[in-house]
């Protein structure tokens, strides 16, 4: 009969070793539909390989308080991103140029800034230019409005 003490030591050793050899931080964004940390959630993502000269992502945010997009590239590049946000009857659009990686908060079109003024859903579309030699990931993030 095996001892429980030996099994506990073996389990502790496996748990400690499994945490070793990590690669540190990564440019890989969080998975679609999952938490991104700090109350932000992913609601859309597009991954674009070498060869293409544009990258983009589309998604529908559900009851957002804030929306932003993140652009990561390998290698890091300068990109110009065009965005369009439609919430209820309001819309906003614009351009943001920067070197990757970067995150940019999008303005929510609304009258007065309340959830009631823009509705529960916002449609977001991002299109970014990129060199054909770069791999780019565009991620859409939302911070949901507090529940009432």
């Amino acid at each position: 009969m095996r001892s429980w003490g030996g099994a506990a030591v073996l389990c502790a050793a496996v748990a400690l070793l499994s945490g070793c050899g990590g690669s540190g931080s990564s440019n890989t964004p969080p998975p679609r539909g999952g938490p991104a940390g700090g109350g932000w959630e992913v609601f859309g993502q597009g991954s674009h390989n070498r060869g293409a000269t544009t990258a983009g992502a589309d998604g529908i945010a559900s009851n957002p308080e804030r929306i932003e997009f993140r652009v990561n590239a390998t290698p890091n590049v300068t990109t110009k991103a065009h965005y369009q946000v439609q919430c209820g009857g309001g819309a906003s659009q614009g351009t943001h140029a920067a070197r990757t990686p970067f995150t940019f908060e999008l303005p929510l079109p609304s009258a007065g800034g309340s959830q009631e003024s823009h509705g529960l859903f916002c449609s977001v579309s991002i299109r970014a230019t990129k060199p054909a030699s770069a791999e780019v990931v565009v991620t859409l993030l939302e911070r949901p409005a507090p529940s009432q």
Side-chain angles (χ1 to χ4, degrees), residues 45-116:
Q45 189 170 69
S47 179
H48 306 277
N49 295 325
R50 289 179 168 89
T53 57
T54 60
D58 300 291
I60 297 179
S62 177
N63 198 26
E65 181 177 59
R66 294 169 58 193
I67 295 175
E68 62 185 32
F69 71 94
R70 178 184 312 147
V71 180
N72 288 305
T74 304
N76 287 333
V77 297
T78 298
T79 183
K80 187 175 192 179
H82 302 276
Y83 63 85
Q84 199 166 23
V85 181
Q86 172 106 28
C87 301
S92 67
Q93 60 183 358
T95 303
H96 180 72
R99 184 150 181 87
T100 61
F102 69 86
T103 302
F104 181 74
E105 187 164 350
L106 297 171
L108 288 177
S110 61
S114 70
Q115 289 302 106
E116 294 79 24

